[in-house]
Amino acid sequence: MSKVVICDHPLIQHKLTYIRDVNTKTKDFRQLVDEVATLMAYEITREIPLEGITVQTPVAEAECKMISGRMLGLIPILRAGLGMLDGVLKLLPSAEVGHIGLYRDPETLQPVEYYLKLPTDVTERELIVIDPMLATGGSANACIDSLKRRGCTQIKLMCLIAAPEGIKAVQEAHDDVDIYVAAIDEKLDEHGYIVPGLGDAGDRLYGTK
Ligand code: PRP
Ligand code: URA
């Protein structure tokens, strides 16, 4: 069974409070999502393997560590996932970025794929799927399905807020995908929104309605 990691660092939880607040305006919302994404990237990379390297300091040789040449790929789910992308790239500037366009049909809540452009050598990369909201889990599962159909095997999922229903859905469909979240909320409402959540992540990031 995959693991679910709640990124409960005080800075993340503090910023998430402002992100949830209906009175937080678009510009601040975007900034805060960016900051939390950076902090979560710190958590999600905790287990990246290191290799030894010797460097010469001004004083002596030092036995040091470096991240071994890993191939990483970031896959934001359009459009709200884009709000977290730059924050993650601040810590992982060499990662290649792929994009998947998915929207939830408002009637059926089923995800519809409308765009896909993946990193080079994608099957060899460790991939982080990025989306602020894990609600029914339909979008995340559709994205992961799409990646696996193309031969990807090393996939993590990073979300700001998850509903228990979404976590269950991803775990049932993909028990090899670890899930990183800043919070697990209470439930979904009848429209598939996370309660209490933060509303529509895409609209709040981009000022649309
Ligand atoms: C939101 C969100 C997720 C999806 C989560 O996107 O960013 O992708 O809903 O819901 P699910 O777990 O029930 O699939 P939305 O479909 O609203 O598209 P947008 O990012 O373009 O606004
Ligand atoms: N998508 C969102 O943007 N918000 C939710 O609460 C659920 C899905």
Side-chain angles (χ1 to χ4, degrees):
M1 176 64 83
S2 66
K3 63 179 175 183
V4 179
V5 178
I6 301 177
C7 302
D8 59 358
H9 190 287
L11 286 173
I12 295 177
Q13 296 304 316
H14 177 83
K15 290 174 193 294
L16 185 60
T17 300
Y18 286 106
I19 288 171
R20 287 184 187 275
D21 190 335
V22 68
N23 295 310
T24 299
K25 300 277 184 288
T26 301
K27 176 172 171 290
D28 294 331
F29 185 92
R30 228 175 3 239
Q31 175 68 34
L32 286 157
V33 168
D34 179 79
E35 289 170 7
V36 169
T38 304
L39 294 166
M40 288 185 72
Y42 181 79
E43 197 66 43
I44 207 166
T45 52
R46 183 175 287 281
E47 288 164 14
I48 286 186
L50 296 168
E51 60 189 18
I53 181 171
T54 306
V55 296
Q56 181 71 45
T57 79
V59 179
E61 277 193 346
E63 299 306 323
C64 300
K65 296 186 195 324
M66 286 192 88
I67 292 171
S68 42
R70 300 200 71 86
M71 307 242 305
L72 294 174
L74 307 178
I75 314 287
I77 299 180
L78 305 180
R79 59 186 168 139
L82 286 180
M84 297 176 75
L85 176 64
D86 283 351
V88 178
L89 279 170
K90 278 184 196 128
L91 289 196
L92 300 171
S94 306
E96 266 193 39
V97 179
H99 295 85
I100 184 163
L102 291 172
Y103 69 87
R104 280 200 319 181
D105 182 289
E107 300 297 321
T108 64
L109 301 184
Q110 291 307 303
V112 181
E113 185 176 313
Y114 61 88
Y115 184 78
L116 185 71
K117 176 76 181 171
L118 295 177
T120 55
D121 304 318
V122 70
T123 57
E124 290 156 45
R125 292 181 185 272
E126 285 180 32
L127 301 177
I128 303 175
V129 173
I130 302 173
D131 193 328
M133 308 307 276
L134 180 60
T136 64
S139 303
N141 273 343
C143 174
I144 296 164
D145 286 341
S146 190
L147 294 171
K148 286 189 173 175
R149 272 199 306 277
R150 289 163 178 87
C152 304
T153 54
Q154 306 173 75
I155 303 171
K156 290 186 165 94
L157 173 64
M158 172 182 187
C159 305
L160 278 187
I161 301 179
E165 294 90 331
I167 290 186
K168 185 161 175 279
V170 173
Q171 285 189 318
E172 282 176 1
H174 302 289
D175 69 358
D176 55 331
V177 173
D178 291 338
I179 305 171
Y180 290 75
V181 296
I184 301 175
D185 278 9
E186 194 189 324
K187 60 177 183 182
L188 296 178
D189 72 9
E190 62 277 21
H191 306 293
Y193 276 88
I194 298 176
V195 181
L198 53 73
D200 187 301
D203 285 347
R204 294 201 63 196
L205 278 164
Y206 302 116
T208 48
K209 276 277 166 337

